[in-house]
Amino acid sequence: MKAKKMFLMALMLCSSGFALQDSLAEKGDNDEKKIDEKSFMETKKTVDKLKKLKISGYVQAQMRIATDAEESGEKNYKIGKFQGGELPANSQSVFQIRRGRIKVAYQDSYSQAVVQLDCVPSGVSIKDAYFRFSAPWLYGFGFKAGVFDRPFGFEISYSSSTRESPERSRIFQTLFPGERDMGASVEYVPSSNFPSWAQLFNLKFGMFAGNGINNESDDVRDLIGRFGLSFPFKDIDLAINAGFSGYAGAVKSLNDTIKVISGTDWTDRDAQINKEIKRQYSGGDLQINYGGIPVLGQLSLRAEVIGGQQPGRAKSNQSPKSSSPDASAIYMRDFLGFYGMAVLNIDPIKCQLVGKYDYFDPNVDLEKSTVKSEADVSFKTLGLGLVYQWDENVKIMAYHDWVTNEKTSIEPYRRDLKDNVFTLRFQYKF
């Protein structure tokens, strides 16, 4: 009987042990499952964030050649800075990395942050650094702040990786060097689910520092904006877009004299030091895209005109782009510039034929013999090119610029300079 009791007790202990072991095993499985679930959620959260991150960019390698005949045995080829930059001394051609862009963008449900760098042999510089916020309840409106394209005209915001000419027009390189500026803007960009009437227009308007992406040298702010219109005619494969832009800004005078035109000569006008001198532009742009050309493909026609008042310096008509203030006298100039461009797609051979004409007169009050400074000389540029799209990543461009300057009474502009340029460019975009 005693042996039987002992056997039953041993059996109960074994059962309890097995139960405890099963319980511990079950608890271990649950803990491991919880750990796996936590690890999975953390991984998912990381993957979801990475999905919002996009890295893109492009590299442009090119050769530029001064195509004019050499003058008087001189070895310096003066092609200027508007066809991709000046050539080194004693060089008729140059091989270069024109742009090496890397762009990182993070896109959330209602916001976006973008940083873009330009990496070339001369150094690394910031091209974009901004954030944008928009939400459905804002009905197409958004807020943007940082360093980004100035909202004026069409060509400024038309990407260099997409543009069919090597460089922007001379007037944009003069008035908006670097294209970007530091500031904030409000934008209205209609969504595709908006009513048709609400998709006919768009708006961008902002306040900017006024001297590019450099640190401010004064406390002056510039107002820039563009009102755009879009007219799609889908039944005939035609789209017409137009825009009207305005620029209301100023530069601060650190000199007690301002130069203005009186008749055909410069005259002094007294000014207070630290007075704000007006800088005003207005412009219009038009883009027509027709995709119904048989066999070939699409024809794009573009044009822009800008006029206004530019406060420059004695030998410069370019807008401010330095963090250091300039204490020299300000020269007030009324200017006019425009360009017209045609791009014909030849889809069967993946090519584009390009023709472009641009004109810039930095001082409409002076011409020919009355021009006293290189900053008042007008220029005409005719460009013809061929663009071949090798695949979705690789593009090859062959483009020639014929540049003609106004003939004046000052050197070296008594004659047309030898400044025509041929550009052969290879681009890889990712």
Side-chain angles (χ1 to χ4, degrees):
M1 191 69 178
K2 187 175 181 180
K4 186 177 180 181
K5 287 182 178 180
M6 292 180 64
F7 175 77
L8 290 172
M9 290 177 64
L11 186 61
M12 290 174 65
L13 287 172
C14 288
S15 299
S16 299
F18 285 128
L20 180 60
Q21 186 176 354
D22 289 343
S23 176
L24 290 173
E26 185 178 349
K27 185 176 183 300
D29 289 342
N30 289 337
D31 289 344
E32 190 173 331
K33 186 177 180 181
K34 289 179 180 178
I35 292 172
D36 288 343
E37 288 178 353
K38 183 179 180 182
S39 177
F40 171 77
M41 293 305 295
E42 290 177 351
T43 302
K44 184 177 182 302
K45 191 181 295 185
T46 302
V47 171
D48 288 343
K49 285 185 177 181
L50 289 174
K51 285 181 180 178
K52 300 174 183 179
L53 190 68
K54 181 181 178 181
I55 299 177
S56 60
Y58 58 96
V59 177
Q60 294 175 342
Q62 66 183 30
M63 173 172 278
R64 291 185 300 124
I65 303 171
T67 57
D68 285 18
E70 183 181 335
E71 272 192 58
S72 305
E74 295 179 359
K75 294 291 184 180
N76 292 325
Y77 300 86
K78 303 292 187 181
I79 68 169
K81 57 188 176 182
F82 292 97
Q83 274 67 50
E86 296 180 345
L87 293 177
N90 304 312
S91 298
Q92 188 175 359
S93 64
V94 63
F95 184 76
Q96 64 182 152
I97 300 297
R98 179 62 183 92
R99 297 174 180 90
R101 302 286 171 84
I102 181 73
K103 180 179 179 180
V104 180
Y106 186 86
Q107 180 75 55
D108 211 338
S109 300
Y110 305 130
S111 60
Q112 180 190 41
V114 173
V115 174
Q116 181 177 201
L117 303 177
D118 190 27
C119 308
V120 294
S122 58
V124 178
S125 60
I126 293 176
K127 300 305 294 183
D128 293 292
Y130 66 85
F131 72 88
R132 185 180 187 278
F133 175 79
S134 183
W137 58 84
L138 295 176
Y139 302 102
F141 283 92
F143 175 77
K144 193 174 182 178
V147 174
F148 53 93
D149 289 333
R150 285 172 270 204
F152 190 103
F154 173 81
E155 199 174 42
I156 284 182
S157 58
Y158 193 46
S159 173
S160 299
S161 67
T162 308
R163 193 177 57 248
E164 299 86 357
S165 60
E167 306 300 331
R168 289 177 174 84
S169 303
R170 182 180 291 258
I171 190 168
F172 281 108
Q173 294 185 61
T174 302
L175 301 181
F176 303 94
E179 299 89 53
R180 280 86 170 167
D181 206 340
M182 197 177 305
S185 70
V186 175
E187 305 175 345
Y188 169 72
V189 181
S191 174
S192 58
N193 59 2
F194 280 21
S196 57
W197 63 268
Q199 298 182 44
L200 295 179
F201 63 95
N202 56 79
L203 174 67
K204 295 182 179 181
F205 178 80
M207 180 181 289
F208 296 85
N211 63 333
I213 61 175
N214 300 284
N215 293 327
E216 286 195 80
S217 58
D218 54 36
D219 58 356
V220 179
R221 304 288 183 272
D222 294 352
L223 300 177
I224 312 174
R226 178 182 184 271
F227 178 76
L229 296 168
S230 299
F231 303 101
F233 301 94
K234 296 181 181 178
D235 53 334
I236 57 173
D237 205 1
L238 174 68
I240 300 176
N241 298 282
F244 304 93
S245 301
Y247 191 116
V251 297
K252 187 170 285 188
S253 175
L254 301 180
N255 195 294
D256 60 1
T257 300
I258 295 177
K259 299 284 188 177
V260 296
I261 292 292
S262 176
T264 59
D265 211 345
W266 292 102
T267 185
D268 293 349
R269 189 180 77 189
D270 293 337
Q272 297 177 348
I273 294 179
N274 287 328
K275 181 181 179 180
E276 293 183 7
I277 309 301
K278 288 184 179 180
R279 174 185 176 193
Q280 297 179 325
Y281 319 148
S282 57
D285 61 87
L286 177 68
Q287 303 85 47
I288 301 173
N289 299 298
Y290 177 62
I293 300 177
V295 182
L296 297 179
Q298 178 175 279
L299 174 65
S300 297
L301 301 175
R302 304 178 198 136
E304 254 180 286
V305 59
I306 307 174
Q309 194 173 50
Q310 173 79 333
R313 307 293 169 172
K315 295 186 177 182
S316 174
N317 50 43
Q318 194 172 58
S319 294
K321 60 172 186 176
S322 173
S323 300
S324 303
D326 189 339
S328 61
I330 289 177
Y331 283 63
M332 296 301 301
R333 297 180 174 92
D334 292 330
F335 68 86
L336 177 67
F338 62 85
Y339 75 84
M341 187 172 188
V343 180
L344 176 62
N345 285 17
I346 308 176
D347 292 342
I349 57 174
K350 299 187 293 184
C351 280
Q352 294 174 305
L353 291 177
V354 185
K356 183 177 182 181
Y357 178 83
D358 83 66
Y359 171 82
F360 178 45
D361 187 351
N363 193 334
V364 297
D365 296 312
L366 301 179
E367 61 178 17
K368 297 181 180 179
S369 62
T370 60
V371 170
K372 301 296 192 299
S373 166
E374 61 187 70
D376 301 314
V377 179
S378 64
F379 286 84
K380 304 171 184 177
T381 305
L382 173 64
L384 296 176
L386 178 67
V387 180
Y388 176 59
Q389 193 73 43
W390 178 275
D391 57 26
E392 64 179 6
N393 302 108
V394 179
K395 184 169 73 172
I396 303 171
M397 175 188 295
Y399 196 93
H400 195 284
D401 278 310
W402 288 269
V403 184
T404 305
N405 59 267
E406 179 182 15
K407 296 179 180 65
T408 71
S409 59
I410 62 172
E411 289 292 350
Y413 300 100
R414 293 181 181 274
R415 61 191 181 283
D416 182 35
L417 298 184
K418 304 288 186 177
D419 50 2
N420 298 339
V421 183
F422 173 75
T423 302
L424 179 62
R425 172 180 293 174
F426 295 83
Q427 173 181 290
Y428 190 92
K429 185 176 182 181
F430 59 91

